[in-house]
Amino acid sequence: MKAAVLYEVNKPLVIEDISVPNPGPREVLIRTKVAGLCHSDLHFIEGLYPHPLPAVLGHESAGVVEKVGSDVTYVKPGDHVVTCLSVFCGTCDNCTTGRTVLCTDTTVKMLPGQSNRLQWNKPEKLNQFLNLSSFAEQMLVHENAIVKIRKDMPLELAALIGCGVITGYGAVVNTARVQAGETVAVVGCGGVGMAAINGAAIAGAGRIIAIDTNPAKLQLATKLGATDIVDPARGDVVQQVRELTGGGVHHSFEVLGRKETAEQCFSMLAPGGTATIVGMIPFGQKIELHGFDFLRERRIQGSSMGSNHFRVDMPRLVEFYMRGKLHLEDWISAKLKLSEINEGFANMKAGKTLRSVIMFDS
């Protein structure tokens, strides 16, 4: 099969011929239909987060089950599935207390370089990425890395749910637990930010403030549920939010992965408010906060993949789409062939796209 391989950071991905073995116990072989280009992949391409190379990246995907290994009972050939990097063991303390997204067993297994599922005719080991590696025509994964979905859900839209949508929506609904009527600010209107905005609208937030410098993204944000927009180019972001809300928001969400915007999210909170950091701040970078602000019970917290219970959350998101509450069609900026993947990441970095997807049947 064909796959896009990253050999060196800050270098283009290379299309190579690779293979996968037959599924082992509890493994599933998937024919990849769609893979989204996620900003998290770009972080690894640029070396902002470490990973052993060479590797096949990609983690936001949907496909069709081709084969299943022994002991697999959850899916069968022909099932439509969405992948999720939050693969879970089901037996550790976090899994058995309902926090599968923080599974400690797969935290060990997901350490870079542990998988031998990818093969090729070269001496170097080819590393699987986040137990998925979806920039390839097939994926061999553990059955606890996938969720079944209804077959009438378009796969190019279902793929988005696998990372960007569940991350943004889940940060609002699962991590922050936004209540009806509360005020929300979302800093960054990319794919994850749009999911947070749409998720806040579904949750019934009373006021949703979208913050971005891109006028087109701000316009789309209003369609997805934003009640107000803030352009940082027009002045101090924190001051603008405080003026709009009369003192700050109940919840702020940072989805850009930057030190300065994380600090802004904390500063724009009303007393008792919570800032949720969703973006991947570069590895090793620290943020600075005013200690006095904590005296008014302001909080800051992280969110891992939207604190998801993906086998429950993702089918619900599919239903939201089917009922017209989740506006996924508006997110796809480009449909690409695998050979166009580097162009897709270049456009992402330039801010020209909201979400690009690789269509493997095109």
Side-chain angles (χ1 to χ4, degrees), residues 172 186 188-189 192-202 208-211 221 224-226:
V172 171
V186 178
C189 295
V192 177
M194 292 298 186
I197 290 166
N198 206 161
I202 291 172
I208 304 168
I209 304 169
I211 303 170
L224 299 183

Side-chain angles (χ1 to χ4, degrees), residues 120-341:
W120 59 356
N121 294 321
K122 294 189 179 184
E124 310 105 302
K125 178 180 178 180
L126 183 57
N127 295 284
Q128 191 178 37
F129 181 66
L130 302 178
N131 288 314
L132 295 175
S133 290
S134 56
F135 294 156
E137 293 173 331
Q138 290 177 307
M139 290 176 284
L140 182 62
V141 304
H142 192 281
E143 67 171 329
N144 285 357
I146 56 177
V147 58
K148 286 187 295 188
I149 60 168
R150 51 193 285 184
K151 290 186 178 181
D152 55 347
M153 176 67 182
L155 287 176
E156 67 268 25
L157 303 179
L160 304 179
I161 292 174
C163 180
V165 176
I166 191 64
T167 298
Y169 167 88
V172 171
V173 174
N174 296 331
T175 311
R177 299 183 182 274
V178 170
Q179 300 296 306
E182 290 186 321
T183 52
V184 168
V186 178
V187 181
C189 295
V192 177
M194 292 298 186
I197 290 166
N198 206 161
I202 291 172
R207 198 164 189 176
I208 304 168
I209 304 169
I211 303 170
D212 204 284
T213 57
N214 188 315
K217 291 182 178 180
L218 289 174
Q219 183 178 6
L220 177 57
T222 61
K223 180 178 180 179
L224 299 183
T227 59
D228 302 89
I229 59 175
V230 167
D231 185 346
R234 296 181 180 177
D236 182 83
V237 169
V238 174
Q239 183 179 347
Q240 290 187 71
V241 171
R242 287 189 171 278
E243 289 176 354
L244 279 171
T245 57
V249 294
H250 294 107
H251 296 277
S252 60
F253 296 88
E254 199 285 339
V255 293
L256 293 174
R258 297 177 182 172
K259 166 184 164 64
E260 60 272 22
T261 47
E263 293 166 354
Q264 288 170 349
C265 277
F266 187 73
S267 297
M268 66 178 64
L269 293 174
T274 301
T276 301
I277 308 304
V278 185
M280 294 175 64
I281 297 173
F283 190 81
Q285 194 168 78
K286 301 180 186 299
I287 60 175
E288 300 173 90
L289 306 172
H290 292 289
F292 173 80
D293 289 337
F294 288 98
L295 299 178
R296 299 294 287 163
E297 296 193 1
R298 294 179 177 89
R299 302 174 182 85
I300 188 167
Q301 64 182 352
S303 178
S304 176
M305 285 291 294
S307 304
N308 72 74
H309 305 91
F310 71 83
R311 285 193 175 166
V312 174
D313 291 339
M314 290 186 185
R316 289 179 180 176
L317 287 165
V318 169
E319 295 303 318
F320 284 143
Y321 167 75
M322 291 296 191
R323 297 203 300 267
K325 294 184 176 182
L326 191 63
H327 305 284
L328 298 176
E329 294 100 335
D330 297 305
W331 299 13
I332 296 181
S333 306
K335 296 181 179 180
L336 311 172
K337 298 178 180 179
L338 182 62
S339 60
E340 299 172 316
I341 190 169

Side-chain angles (χ1 to χ4, degrees), residues 15-39:
I15 308 302
E16 297 279 15
D17 290 312
I18 71 168
S19 63
V20 291
N22 283 318
R26 303 201 69 189
E27 288 186 328
V28 178
L29 180 65
I30 300 167
R31 172 65 59 179
T32 314
K33 294 294 185 179
V34 186
L37 271 58
C38 179
H39 216 101

